[in-house]
Amino acid sequence: MRKTLLATLFVLSLALTLQGAGWIDWYVDNTYEGESKGTEEAPFKTIQEAVAASLASNATFSADTIWIKGTEKPYYGPIEIPNKNAMRLAGYGEVKPEITVTGEVAQTVIKSGDNYASPFYACMPPAQVGLENLIVKNDIAAPAGICYCADVQA
């Protein structure tokens, strides 16, 4: 009986927490020239700015969408999404957006957080990241005989 009551209270508190969660659409356009606010009319210039805005605006769990406008110019990573929120990265526009990393050292293009390493979040998986309508590319110069791929760690 006590376990059932505790489980019911847990589910109720989780439902109340999620009910207050605001799910926000953020916009990114790496060709935008004005002051960035993350809106469709005044988008951020980088994906990481949108991730930071999402994390700053949500005290509880959310599932924000970051809309990435397809341009002829790639978006550069790595992109790191900490443990706090689940997020959806979705491309839009006539050109499919490309998220890429370049350089001399192997890197993860999109990396979710690492909840499993924290004693406070040990029961939760790392941040959950949805990818939709995007090109993810690892364009790093690999040493001879070694191949790198478009690495997404989630």
Side-chain angles (χ1 to χ4, degrees):
M1 177 71 178
R2 182 180 165 116
K3 285 183 182 180
T4 304
L5 178 61
L6 288 174
T8 303
L9 288 174
F10 174 76
V11 169
L12 180 59
S13 68
L14 181 61
L16 290 173
T17 300
L18 293 177
Q19 183 180 15
W23 296 356
I24 301 170
D25 286 343
W26 300 97
Y27 290 85
V28 180
D29 178 350
N30 59 6
T31 62
Y32 180 69
E33 297 290 329
E35 182 182 342
S36 297
K37 297 179 183 173
T39 63
E40 192 169 9
E41 297 78 25
F44 290 120
K45 293 173 186 77
T46 71
I47 299 167
Q48 199 65 56
E49 285 178 288
V51 169
S54 174
L55 294 172
S57 70
N58 291 295
T60 60
F61 175 83
S62 76
D64 289 353
T65 296
I66 297 175
W67 293 99
I68 304 162
K69 185 171 185 179
T71 66
E72 297 296 327
K73 191 174 154 186
Y75 292 86
Y76 292 102
I79 310 297
E80 183 154 355
I81 301 180
N83 299 320
K84 190 170 182 180
N85 296 341
M87 289 188 196
R88 176 177 163 228
L89 304 180
Y92 75 98
E94 294 190 25
V95 176
K96 193 174 278 195
E98 178 184 303
I99 301 172
T100 188
V101 293
T102 60
E104 305 265 333
V105 179
Q107 291 189 31
T108 300
V109 181
I110 298 171
K111 181 180 184 230
S112 70
D114 53 0
N115 271 333
Y116 55 85
S118 168
F120 301 109
Y121 301 107
C123 64
M124 294 175 65
Q128 297 177 21
V129 183
L131 303 175
E132 187 176 310
N133 197 34
L134 300 166
I135 297 170
V136 180
K137 184 177 174 184
N138 189 326
D139 198 14
I140 293 174
I146 296 177
C147 297
Y148 291 147
C149 65
D151 183 19
V152 178
Q153 179 267 315

